Structure formats: structure tokens, C-alpha cells
Amino acid sequence: MSELMARAGALDAADELAGARKQFVLDTVSDHAADAAGVYLDGNSLGALPANVPAHVEDVVRRQWGELRIRSWDESGWWTAPERIGDRIAPLVGAAPGQIVVGDSTSVNVFKAVVAAVRMAESAGTGRDEILVDATTFPTDGYIAESAARMTGRTLRPVTPAEVPGALSDRTAAVLLNHVDYRTGRLHDLPSLTAAVHAAGALAVWDLCHSAGALPVGLDEHGVDLAVGCTYKYLNGGPGSPAYLYVRRDLQDRFDSPLPGWNSHTEPFGMRPAYEPASGAPRGRVGTPDILSMLALEAALEVWDGVSIDAVRAKSLALTDFFLECVGAYVGEGRVESLTPVAHAERGSQVALRCEGAGEVMKRLIERGVVGDFRHPDVLRFGFTPLYVGFADAERAARVLGEVLTGEVLSGEAPC
Amino acid sequence: MSELMARAGALDAADELAGARKQFVLDTVSDHAADAAGVYLDGNSLGALPANVPAHVEDVVRRQWGELRIRSWDESGWWTAPERIGDRIAPLVGAAPGQIVVGDSTSVNVFKAVVAAVRMAESAGTGRDEILVDATTFPTDGYIAESAARMTGRTLRPVTPAEVPGALSDRTAAVLLNHVDYRTGRLHDLPSLTAAVHAAGALAVWDLCHSAGALPVGLDEHGVDLAVGCTYKYLNGGPGSPAYLYVRRDLQDRFDSPLPGWNSHTEPFGMRPAYEPASGAPRGRVGTPDILSMLALEAALEVWDGVSIDAVRAKSLALTDFFLECVGAYVGEGRVESLTPVAHAERGSQVALRCEGAGEVMKRLIERGVVGDFRHPDVLRFGFTPLYVGFADAERAARVLGEVLTGEVLSGEAPC
């Protein structure tokens, strides 16, 4: 056994979060044999299945829908699920209750948040005609921000997060930023950027897709105005599970939604012709919530009971440190280049390696049971989800990567 | 046995759709005993559970998500589900393939459709500054249309469907109408209203929530421009299952979405900073589809295999005719007033009865196992879903209503 393998074993033995792995369905035997003993490093794209979810979904389908039917809107708590589940996400992103509502996709929530932020800036009485958007952001945020700008008569200006402080002015209405760069895994400085945005009199909207559940966010502490995020990555809500919207409590009365659906009415069943928005988080709702996906998410969030997000962050950094060390040891000089910052303060919970022929390399990794993903044109992404990824997984992934890149195959392991 | 009970038995025996009922989970024993032998007349709010759905959802959760994980986006057909399921809905609303995409809520789709319609009218080069909206519509359509008007600089003008022909002018950009009035069950004349809208040079957007799956719609035949609908009523997709958007084929290239999320990009995984819309139905997509709800819907749609929507319509009208006849026989003169048109051409698939103390009456009906719903302030709604409601159900519902209104209790039946 190599020194790195021995170190991995010791690190796993000392890991206070190691017990969380048993709450997930992993190590399953599928028709794709190589996956059976695989290393799943794509939880930053789709989180693994929490073990309690299947039985819960079955109850939702068979009993709540199949037997109680329409009564479940009240009796099974369907109607209040968006706020209730929002309150369950809240502590994971440093928010007090009553400020997060779950529903719709991230893209739809970006639209709500950016338009609402522009309107809040407008209601302050200034002539703020510019929206800044993270030029390195996941593309949908840029597309949607462009639409929000067009529909509110603002100009959209893409800048890198580093350029934001210099780009802010009294023309800035709102700034949309990603907490972690989806491609490189770079963590942006939410506290100082938010403070800079506020100093310029603008509103800060943060996309937490790649940070929530992986590291502390501190929405309330840092005075973030609005935030959105998905729930199918580090929150393990399932494929396409609903996203969420955070509106800081003291801004909620000024949240003027571009999507004022009946679910956000102060009296939804009054069926009134005139719209009158609800107070609080429900003002961010739109249409009927998709209950199956939403209640699967609610069950999935139970894995966080008793888990400290600081412990998650500590393990995440230790995992990515160790993985980078193993890559250094196993992968020949110059074969890959890490795009992920070395400094902990600038690192999310993934490692991105630039690699020639990355698409083909990732295919071979997956054949060998190491599941990451490929991002065009030349990036290998490896996501580290501290609740179910261990140090032996990190060592093995780096080792298999080294083998794939040298064309070797580990003895005793069939190449798929 | 009364004459009406005998007639109900004969009608059920001759019903060519009677066999469809066994494809649904009904007559379940729940903790609410009275429901066990109940009559479910609320399928116009939440359709009953198709019997094949639970096993399919379990496979989606346990195998597709739990074992295949990220690979399911390709291998389990997750990515293409929105268009594939759209094509499955298409024949039910008279649409050729390639024009319907599933996703988001009805409210969000109303926003896409109305904004896109206004932009299409604008691109025609005229100064059309007015949107007409059905003043009797389900409230969310009006709220969302108001936002669409505000964000496109148009004026929203609520009119009843009957007033539409007189309200149309060269100022009209788009008209948003409901096919069936959610409260009264009145069916509006889609062919002639669409023709009138077109004669005025405007675009017609139809909301099919209360008609799709209950009667022929004929979107293509009647040249409807855009349409939206939910899937949890007569389509039985489950609570909050995703809605759909229809864009007529020859308008798709001009569909300019206010919600241009990455899923609607011509190359979603190119991760390009500039938005370039996809061709065809996928242009109506926004964010990541909610797979659990969406694939439950896909399984639910299997009950339509081999079912003629004309046969559904014929049975629906026979059911509502028979129910009204039974109400006439069992309910004392003047106790209820039907808001649902007598003429078949003006009737959807529900019966709405105005009734003093309707809220309390509905409570007592539900206690007796007859599940309809109450709409503020004084309406009892009874939805007739021809795939699983029979004539004996209609007779029993009317009989129990008569008993509840006279305070009598049928011998042999405990009043819960």
C-alpha cells in the first residue's frame, strides 16, 4: 500500500463526517459493472440519492396523492411546502427563517431576483440604469439577466467578479454574482463584494448553486439582498429539484415580482381579480408547486440534521487539498493544470483540471468508475461532496487519472 | 332501486370507456373511512393516481437517480423529456408533434406566451399597445398578464370572452383567453374567438387547464397561436406536475422568450456567453426540468393510449347531462342553481351549482364520500373525468347532495 493510500485510510478513520455516507445510496450494483465500486465525484452536478428518499416519495405518490388526493393540499402539508422547505434550507446558507421560498428553476428565480432588485433600486428614487453581471457566471444567469435588463429598460454590463468594485457607480442598480465559478471552482468573496455593492448604493444578488451545502454562505451576516440557488447539487434534492429564492427580511415588502402568480397572492383562494401580494417569503411563489420533486427534496434535506456546515467546509478543503496532492504524485508533470485556486479562501468544493483531450479522458475515467464531468473545451471537473466522499475516494480518483493519462491499467482492475 | 339508479347501471354497462377506470387507483381504503367508497368529482382540480405511476416513479428514483445518477440525463432520456412528453400531450389537444414543450408552472408559461405574443405582434410592425385578457379567467392569468403588459409597455384590458369581438381593434396585440371558465364550467368558442382575434391582426393565447383531456381542443385545426395548460387536472400528472407551452410551428422562429434560460439555447452544453435560441419547441424551455414530476406525468399519460378524445367528450356530456337530471330529481326546487350552461357547445366537463352555505354543504358532502370542491363565495364544483367517473357515481353524488340539503341520511349509510 502506498503512503498516500495509508494517509487516506487514516484521514477517513479520523473523519467526523464519515458516518454520513451511510445515509446515501452508493456502491450500488448497476448494469454498468464498473460503476459498482465507483467514486462519484459529480455531486456538484447531481447529488447522490439519500437513502430515505425512495420510501418518502412512495408515500407521497401512493398515499398522499393516491388515497388522500385533493385533501393532501391541507392534510399532507402540500400547500405550505415552499416556505417550510425554505426554512429547512435557511440554516445551511446562514439565513433566519421566513426568508427563503422553494419553487421554480434557478433561471426563473434569477429573473425574479434581478427584476425585483432593479425595482428596489428604482424605488429608492435614483436613476440607476445599469445591471452588472458576473461575466464568468454559469451562462443561464447571463441570459436571464439580459432579459431582465431588456424588460426593465436597463443596460447589462458583464464584468468579472474582480472587476466589480471598479465597475460600480451611481448608475448601478443591481449586481448578479455567482458565489463559486462553475467551471474553475473559484470561490468569490461574498462579504467584501456585497459590501462594495452596498457602498455604491446598489443591490447584490448571489447565485449559490455551487456553494450551498458545501461551505458557509452567511446570507444574513453579510447583508446579501437577494439570492437564488438550485437544490440538486450539494443539497441532493434529485434531478431538477426545485430551486429557491432568498429575499432579505427588510426588503420583502419591496419585493415586486415580475411573476406575480396566484400562489403569491395574500389570499390565493379568494380568487380575486386584483393582485395583492402576500407578505414575507410566500411573495416569491408563482404557480402551483411541483409536489413530487419538492417533497423528495424535503426528505433529502434530512441528511443535514445535526451536521455542522463548518465541519463540511473543513472536510471539503481537506479533500480537495488531498486530491490535488495525489494528482501531483500520480499524474505526470505538465499533463494537467489546476484551474482551482490553491488558497482556501478562494476555493469552492470542486477541483477543475485543464487537460488535453479532456472529453476522451473523462470517458475513460467513467469507464474505470471515477465519475466526474467534462466541461467544454478542455476541463475535467471533480466535485467533492463531504457528506459522502472520503479520502480513499480522492486517492483512487487521482490514481486512476494518472493511469488513464499514461495508458496504464492498475493490476487486478479490469478496464471496464 | 330507483329509476335513476337503474338508468345509471345501464349507462355504465354500455360505456365504452368504463374499462379505463381500472387503470386508476380508486376505491382505496384510507384512514378516512367515508372516502373508501367515495365518489371523486375533483379530478378537475387534481386527477386521480394512474395505477402505473408508483412503480415508474420508484424506478426513476431508485435506479435512474440512485444508480445511474448523472448518466441518466442521457441514458434515461431525462434531457429530452420536455419535448418527448410534449409530443405525448399533443394529440390530446389537436397538435402535430414538435410544438409543445413541458416544464414550469402554468403561470410561468402564461408569462412566456403573452410576452412572446406581444413581441410577435410588435415585430409585425404595427403600434399595437393593448392586451385583452379574459376578465372571468382563473386569477393567475390576469395577474401574470398584467405583469406582461407592464414589462412590455402595453395596457391590459380585461373583458369577458363575449365582449372580445367588440373590443378587438388595430390596437390589440394579443388576447389571453381561458377555454373553460374554472368557476362556472362554461366552454368558450375557441374557433370563432380565435378567428376574430386573427381578423383583427392580433395573436390568440389560450389557457387549456380546464379543457385538455376533457374535450377536443383542435389547436392546429383552429390556428391557435400560443397555448398553455396544466397537467394535473384531466391529464392526471400528479400534484403540481409541470405545465406545457404550445407555440404554433410557423411562429416558432419568432418566439422571443422573456425567460431565455440555458435549456433553450441552441447548444446548451456549449456554455456560451451569448444567447442563441434553439429551433422548435425547445425554445420554450427555461431551466433544468424537474425530472421526478415530469416522468411521473409521462407515465400518467399512458392511460390515454388508444383512447379517443371524442369518446371522452361524448361521455363527459352524457355524465354532466345525467348529473344535472339527477340533481333536478333529488334536490328540492330552488335549493341550487346551475351556473353551467345547458347547451353542450357551451359546457366543459364540470358542473357548478350555486348554493346557499356552499362551504358547509361541501364539507358535509366530503364527509359522505362525495368529493367536489367549494369556490368562494357560494359555488359547489363537481368535475367529471370520463376516464374514471361513471354514471352511478353521478347518480350517487346527486342523491347525497339532495340528502345533505334536506338533512336526511340515507338508511344504511353512517353520516361519518
Side-chain angles (χ1 to χ4, degrees):
Chain A
M1 185 185 284
S2 76
E3 184 268 340
L4 287 169
M5 288 168 94
R7 287 248 319 279
L11 287 163
D12 280 330
D15 174 15
E16 64 173 291
L17 291 176
R21 180 179 169 96
K22 68 176 185 301
Q23 295 187 66
F24 290 87
V25 175
L26 292 162
D27 315 317
T28 52
V29 177
S30 79
D31 56 343
H32 196 290
D35 215 21
V39 177
Y40 190 64
L41 300 180
D42 214 0
N44 55 326
S45 185
L46 176 66
L49 172 65
N52 67 324
V53 166
H56 187 72
V57 171
E58 183 171 8
D59 180 67
V60 171
V61 173
R62 288 188 190 270
R63 187 182 60 86
Q64 296 183 21
W65 173 14
E67 296 184 20
L68 299 180
R69 291 187 282 267
I70 200 72
R71 289 160 42 196
S72 274
W73 282 108
D74 288 326
E75 292 178 29
S76 302
W78 289 355
W79 184 260
T80 52
E83 300 84 60
R84 182 175 74 241
I85 304 172
D87 281 349
R88 189 122 198 182
I89 292 170
L92 301 175
V93 291
Q99 301 174 102
I100 293 183
V101 69
V102 173
D104 305 306
S105 66
T106 305
S107 298
V108 169
N109 282 299
V110 167
F111 187 73
K112 294 180 210 170
V114 174
V115 170
V118 167
R119 288 174 174 173
M120 288 172 189
E122 186 177 52
S123 72
T126 55
R128 294 178 177 268
D129 63 355
E130 201 168 69
I131 301 170
L132 300 183
V133 66
D134 183 346
T136 63
T137 192
F138 187 78
T140 210
D141 292 37
Y143 307 157
I144 294 287
E146 179 68 50
S147 175
R150 171 183 176 190
M151 298 194 79
T152 56
R154 270 36 178 204
T155 301
L156 186 71
R157 185 173 163 203
V159 291
T160 65
E163 292 167 342
V164 163
L168 289 162
S169 76
D170 57 8
R171 289 184 52 188
T172 314
V175 183
L176 171 63
L177 288 161
N178 240 283
H179 198 189
V180 173
D181 186 301
Y182 79 99
R183 213 174 57 95
T184 64
R186 176 179 292 272
L187 173 66
H188 299 302
D189 188 344
L190 181 145
S192 80
L193 283 166
T194 302
V197 170
H198 287 169
L203 287 104
V205 182
W206 284 92
D207 180 334
L208 310 177
C209 284
H210 288 267
S211 62
L215 50 91
V217 178
L219 289 177
D220 286 351
E221 181 186 352
H222 304 300
V224 167
D225 300 298
L226 299 109
V228 304
C230 77
T231 61
Y232 45 76
K233 299 180 188 290
Y234 299 99
L235 299 180
N236 313 301
S241 56
Y244 57 91
L245 170 72
Y246 163 91
V247 182
R248 205 180 66 218
R249 190 180 308 283
D250 60 299
L251 294 175
Q252 290 176 339
D253 285 348
R254 290 162 56 202
F255 180 80
D256 181 4
S257 177
L259 294 168
W262 73 293
N263 269 233
S264 69
H265 197 283
T266 188
E267 199 193 332
F269 292 94
M271 303 288 160
R272 300 203 210 131
Y275 180 69
E276 192 183 335
S279 299
R283 192 181 284 205
R285 292 175 65 160
V286 185
T288 305
D290 55 335
I291 292 302
L292 266 54
S293 295
M294 194 162 281
L295 299 190
L297 166 63
E298 185 170 31
L301 290 169
E302 288 179 17
V303 301
W304 295 97
D305 287 351
V307 171
S308 146
I309 199 77
D310 289 321
V312 166
R313 173 63 168 165
K315 181 177 173 186
S316 161
L317 289 170
L319 277 170
T320 51
D321 274 344
F322 186 65
F323 177 69
L324 285 166
E325 181 182 347
C326 293
V327 168
Y330 290 130
V331 175
E333 188 73 23
R335 296 299 300 274
V336 300
E337 175 199 357
S338 174
L339 301 174
T340 303
V342 172
H344 283 182
E346 297 173 6
R347 191 193 303 165
S349 198
Q350 74 178 56
V351 171
L353 301 177
R354 182 176 286 150
C355 176
E356 197 180 323
E360 191 53 39
V361 169
M362 184 49 71
K363 262 188 216 159
R364 296 216 46 207
L365 284 171
I366 291 171
E367 285 167 3
R368 298 283 306 280
V370 175
V371 179
D373 65 20
F374 161 63
R375 279 293 173 258
H376 189 79
D378 59 359
V379 175
L380 303 169
R381 287 200 317 179
F382 301 96
F384 291 84
T385 43
L387 292 187
Y388 56 79
V389 171
F391 294 89
D393 296 320
E395 188 275 338
R396 177 163 175 234
R399 184 158 38 91
V400 173
L401 175 64
E403 292 159 11
V404 163
L405 288 175
T406 55
E408 292 168 14
V409 174
L410 190 67
S411 66
E413 274 193 40
C416 186
Chain B
M1 185 186 283
S2 75
E3 184 267 340
L4 286 170
M5 288 168 93
R7 287 246 321 276
L11 286 163
D12 280 330
D15 173 17
E16 64 174 290
L17 292 175
R21 181 180 171 96
K22 69 177 183 303
Q23 296 188 64
F24 290 87
V25 175
L26 292 163
D27 314 317
T28 53
V29 177
S30 81
D31 56 344
H32 196 289
D35 216 20
V39 178
Y40 190 62
L41 300 181
D42 213 1
N44 55 326
S45 184
L46 176 66
L49 171 65
N52 67 323
V53 167
H56 186 72
V57 171
E58 184 170 8
D59 180 67
V60 171
V61 173
R62 290 189 189 268
R63 187 182 60 85
Q64 298 183 20
W65 173 15
E67 297 183 20
L68 301 181
R69 289 187 285 265
I70 200 73
R71 290 161 42 197
S72 275
W73 282 108
D74 289 326
E75 294 179 28
S76 303
W78 289 356
W79 183 261
T80 51
E83 298 84 61
R84 184 176 71 242
I85 304 172
D87 281 348
R88 188 118 200 184
I89 292 171
L92 300 176
V93 291
Q99 302 175 102
I100 295 183
V101 68
V102 174
D104 305 307
S105 65
T106 304
S107 297
V108 169
N109 282 300
V110 167
F111 188 72
K112 296 180 208 168
V114 174
V115 171
V118 166
R119 288 174 174 172
M120 288 173 189
E122 188 176 49
S123 72
T126 54
R128 294 179 177 267
D129 65 353
E130 200 168 71
I131 301 170
L132 301 183
V133 65
D134 183 346
T136 62
T137 192
F138 188 77
T140 208
D141 293 37
Y143 307 157
I144 294 287
E146 179 69 51
S147 176
R150 173 183 176 189
M151 299 194 78
T152 56
R154 269 38 178 203
T155 301
L156 186 71
R157 184 173 162 204
V159 290
T160 66
E163 292 166 341
V164 164
L168 289 162
S169 75
D170 56 10
R171 290 183 55 189
T172 314
V175 183
L176 171 62
L177 288 160
N178 240 284
H179 199 188
V180 172
D181 185 301
Y182 78 100
R183 211 173 58 93
T184 63
R186 176 181 293 272
L187 172 66
H188 298 301
D189 188 346
L190 182 145
S192 80
L193 284 166
T194 301
V197 170
H198 286 169
L203 287 103
V205 182
W206 284 92
D207 179 334
L208 309 178
C209 283
H210 288 267
S211 62
L215 50 90
V217 177
L219 288 177
D220 287 351
E221 180 186 353
H222 304 301
V224 166
D225 300 298
L226 299 109
V228 304
C230 77
T231 62
Y232 45 76
K233 300 180 187 289
Y234 298 101
L235 299 179
N236 314 301
S241 56
Y244 58 90
L245 171 70
Y246 164 91
V247 183
R248 205 179 66 218
R249 192 179 307 282
D250 61 299
L251 295 175
Q252 289 176 339
D253 285 348
R254 292 163 55 203
F255 181 79
D256 181 4
S257 178
L259 294 168
W262 73 294
N263 269 233
S264 69
H265 196 284
T266 188
E267 200 192 331
F269 292 94
M271 303 287 160
R272 302 204 208 127
Y275 180 70
E276 192 184 334
S279 298
R283 192 179 284 206
R285 291 174 67 159
V286 185
T288 304
D290 56 335
I291 293 299
L292 267 54
S293 295
M294 195 164 281
L295 299 190
L297 166 63
E298 186 170 30
L301 290 169
E302 289 179 17
V303 301
W304 295 96
D305 286 352
V307 171
S308 147
I309 199 76
D310 289 321
V312 166
R313 173 62 168 166
K315 181 176 172 186
S316 161
L317 289 170
L319 278 168
T320 50
D321 273 345
F322 185 65
F323 177 69
L324 285 166
E325 180 183 347
C326 293
V327 168
Y330 290 130
V331 174
E333 188 72 25
R335 296 301 297 272
V336 299
E337 174 199 0
S338 175
L339 300 175
T340 301
V342 171
H344 283 181
E346 296 174 6
R347 192 192 304 165
S349 198
Q350 72 176 57
V351 170
L353 302 177
R354 183 174 284 150
C355 173
E356 197 179 325
E360 190 54 39
V361 169
M362 184 50 71
K363 262 187 216 158
R364 295 215 50 206
L365 283 172
I366 292 171
E367 285 167 2
R368 298 284 306 279
V370 174
V371 180
D373 65 19
F374 161 62
R375 279 294 172 257
H376 189 79
D378 59 0
V379 175
L380 303 170
R381 287 200 318 178
F382 301 96
F384 290 85
T385 44
L387 291 187
Y388 56 78
V389 170
F391 294 88
D393 295 322
E395 187 275 339
R396 176 163 176 235
R399 185 159 36 94
V400 173
L401 175 63
E403 291 160 11
V404 163
L405 288 175
T406 54
E408 291 169 13
V409 173
L410 190 68
S411 65
E413 273 190 43
C416 186

